[in-house]
Amino acid sequence: METQLRNQFRYRRLLLIGALLASGLSSANTTTVNVGAEAPDFALRSAAGPNLRLSEHRGQVVMINFWATWCGPCRQEMPKLDEIFARYEPAGFTLLGVNIDEDSAQAQRLADELGVTFPLLFDDEQDVSRLYDVQAMPMTVMVDRSGTVRSVHYGYRPGMEQRYLDEVRALLRED
């Protein structure tokens, strides 16, 4: 029963968010992430314990991936992202998986089930999601070594990981 009520609450909240987005009212308190602009800095609690701040990763190529446990494409994408992380982390790449669920324990369970090793961050208040104007799940933002947004991807389809690989390789080759 509690799960049913929680799901109904989520559904109603998503409807409200959708209505606000459609009306344009929500854009007053958001930052649109623009390619070529500096990535908005943030700090979030990590699964490893301490808070992680985006700016602490200056000098690295960073992929920020917003995901949720209820998102089917996110579940498909995460193992592929973990392969990219494992392969390119030694070369100066990191991946920050930003979960937007209210229940971080549920997010941790799914990540464990999928065998994810990249850093998990919990945005249970959706502050960073609003900062990045997340409107689709998953949403992936590529940030270069200087902290500049280089691309933004919405959603996931099988094969997109090749595009991510190409971008990561190109950004790692840049000075």
Side-chain angles (χ1 to χ4, degrees), residues 82-107:
D82 199 62
E83 290 173 17
I84 296 170
F85 172 72
R87 184 171 179 183
Y88 290 99
E89 182 188 23
F93 169 73
T94 196
L95 194 160
L96 303 176
V98 178
N99 177 268
I100 67 160
D101 289 306
E102 293 173 0
D103 182 357
S104 58
Q106 182 179 2

Side-chain angles (χ1 to χ4, degrees), residues 150-167:
R150 297 296 289 272
S151 65
V152 179
H153 302 277
Y154 299 96
Y156 172 75
R157 292 173 311 284
M160 283 183 73
E161 57 276 359
Q162 186 58 52
R163 183 182 308 169
Y164 296 153
L165 272 170
D166 293 343
E167 289 181 28

Side-chain angles (χ1 to χ4, degrees), residues 53-105:
R53 181 173 289 282
L54 175 62
S55 58
E56 293 170 349
H57 297 281
R58 277 287 160 88
Q60 294 183 307
V61 172
V62 179
M63 176 187 282
I64 306 166
N65 179 260
F66 292 90
W67 66 281
T69 58
W70 47 263
C71 167
C74 299
R75 290 172 184 244
Q76 287 181 297
E77 179 182 55
M78 288 177 71
K80 306 285 187 195
L81 296 180
D82 199 62
E83 290 173 17
I84 296 170
F85 172 72
R87 184 171 179 183
Y88 290 99
E89 182 188 23
F93 169 73
T94 196
L95 194 160
L96 303 176
V98 178
N99 177 268
I100 67 160
D101 289 306
E102 293 173 0
D103 182 357
S104 58

Side-chain angles (χ1 to χ4, degrees), residues 4-25:
Q4 249 182 338
L5 289 174
R6 190 177 312 137
N7 287 339
Q8 286 177 348
F9 176 74
R10 280 188 187 144
Y11 177 73
R12 287 182 184 149
R13 194 170 84 193
L14 286 172
L15 286 176
L16 177 61
I17 289 169
L20 288 172
L21 288 171
S23 70
L25 294 176

